[in-house]
Amino acid sequence: GDLIARTYVVSVEQPVAEPEPKPAAARKQQQRSIVTQQKLLDAAISAFSENGFKGTSTRDIADRAGVHHPLITYHFKNKNQLWRAAADRIFREFNISLVKAMAEVPEMDPKARAEAFVRTYVHYAHAQPALHKIILQESSNASERLDWLIETHLEPLYDLVAEPLSRLQQLGISPAGDPSLLYNMIRVSAGGLLALSLEIKGTTGLDLDDEARRDELANMIIAVFFPGG
C-alpha cells in the first residue's frame, strides 16, 4: 500500500515550471557580456604570452581588447584570475582538438594515435602559439602560477600520454629510454618550434606559417620519434 501511495504521489506531482524566457534587453546584455569576456581573454592571451605575467598590466589588456579598464575586475576580479582564465582557454581548446583527432583513430592502432597526437599538437601550436609561450614565460621562475599550471593542465596531459608512449616503446615503435624524456622531446619539437617561428624564419628562412612546412615538420617528428611499426 505504501509503495502504491508513494507511486501515486510521484505521478500526480506537478511538473517543474519552465523558467520564463529572459527579456530581449537582458539577452542582449548577456551577449555583450560574453563578447567582452572573449575580447579580454584574446587580449590577455596575447599580452601574457608576449610579456609574461609581471610585464603585463591590466590596463594594457583592456587597451588591446578595446574595452573600459574597470570591466576586467567586473568580469575576472583581478589579473591573476584573468591569467588563469586565459590559460584555461588555451588548454581547453587544445584538449578539444585532441579529443576530436583521437576520435577518428582506432584505439587498436597505437602508432596512428601517436601520429594524430603530433599532427594535432603542431596544428594547434601554430594556431595558438601562446600554448608554449606562456609555459616558457612561467618556467623562468618558481611561482604559484607555475604550480597551478602544472597541476591543472600539464601533469594531466602527461598522465594521459605516458602509458601509451611506454607501450609504443615496448612495441619497438618509439626509441627506448625514459618515457618522460621522450614525451618532452616530442612536445618541444611539436610546439616549441612554433613558438620560436619568428626567430627560426629569420635565422634559417624556414617559414612555419606555410602549411606545407608544418606538414613536413609533423612528418619529420613522426619519422624521428615513431620509426618502428
Side-chain angles (χ1 to χ4, degrees):
D2 289 342
L3 177 59
I4 294 173
R6 288 197 299 271
T7 304
Y8 174 76
V9 169
V10 171
S11 66
V12 298
E13 283 181 343
Q14 294 298 317
V16 177
E18 292 290 331
E20 293 184 7
K22 292 183 179 181
R27 289 199 302 272
K28 286 183 179 179
Q29 176 59 35
Q30 185 179 41
Q31 289 168 355
R32 284 196 295 270
S33 180
I34 292 171
V35 169
T36 298
Q37 288 182 37
Q38 294 308 311
K39 285 182 177 179
L40 286 169
L41 284 173
D42 286 341
I45 288 169
S46 175
F48 287 134
S49 67
E50 290 173 13
N51 303 316
F53 182 84
K54 291 182 179 179
T56 298
S57 69
T58 53
R59 191 165 295 281
D60 174 34
I61 293 170
D63 289 345
R64 288 179 186 233
V67 305
H68 295 300
H69 183 244
L71 287 174
I72 288 183
T73 52
Y74 175 79
H75 287 288
F76 296 101
K77 189 176 179 181
N78 55 43
K79 186 168 83 166
N80 189 60
Q81 291 299 319
L82 177 55
W83 181 88
R84 288 192 179 195
D88 276 336
R89 197 176 85 171
I90 292 168
F91 284 92
R92 182 175 65 250
E93 291 179 352
F94 172 66
N95 288 334
I96 290 170
S97 299
L98 197 56
V99 167
K100 287 180 179 178
M102 291 301 178
E104 299 177 0
V105 183
E107 288 190 21
M108 300 304 294
D109 191 341
K111 184 173 182 179
R113 293 178 74 79
E115 292 180 1
F117 177 84
V118 168
R119 295 188 193 285
T120 301
Y121 213 126
V122 169
H123 172 78
Y124 187 79
H126 173 259
Q128 185 53 278
L131 175 69
H132 271 257
K133 287 184 178 181
I134 281 184
I135 296 172
L136 287 170
Q137 291 281 1
E138 293 304 322
S139 294
S140 300
N141 299 286
S143 68
E144 289 184 1
R145 290 187 308 279
L146 179 59
D147 292 342
W148 176 87
L149 193 60
I150 290 169
E151 182 179 350
T152 307
H153 294 295
L154 301 179
E155 271 188 340
L157 180 59
Y158 171 67
D159 291 342
L160 182 70
V161 174
E163 192 278 329
L165 195 56
S166 294
R167 185 180 169 210
L168 288 168
Q169 290 178 301
Q170 293 165 7
L171 293 170
I173 294 171
S174 290
D178 186 334
S180 63
L181 181 57
L182 181 61
Y183 164 75
N184 283 296
M185 291 171 69
I186 292 169
R187 77 180 179 117
V188 170
S189 297
L193 292 180
L194 274 299
L196 297 173
S197 60
L198 282 176
E199 178 272 317
I200 289 172
K201 184 176 181 180
T203 302
T204 67
L206 178 64
D207 185 4
L208 290 172
D209 285 330
D210 183 340
E211 186 176 358
R213 288 297 200 178
R214 293 196 303 276
D215 288 341
E216 185 178 359
L217 170 61
N219 290 336
M220 191 172 291
I221 293 169
I222 289 164
V224 169
F225 293 111
F226 309 110

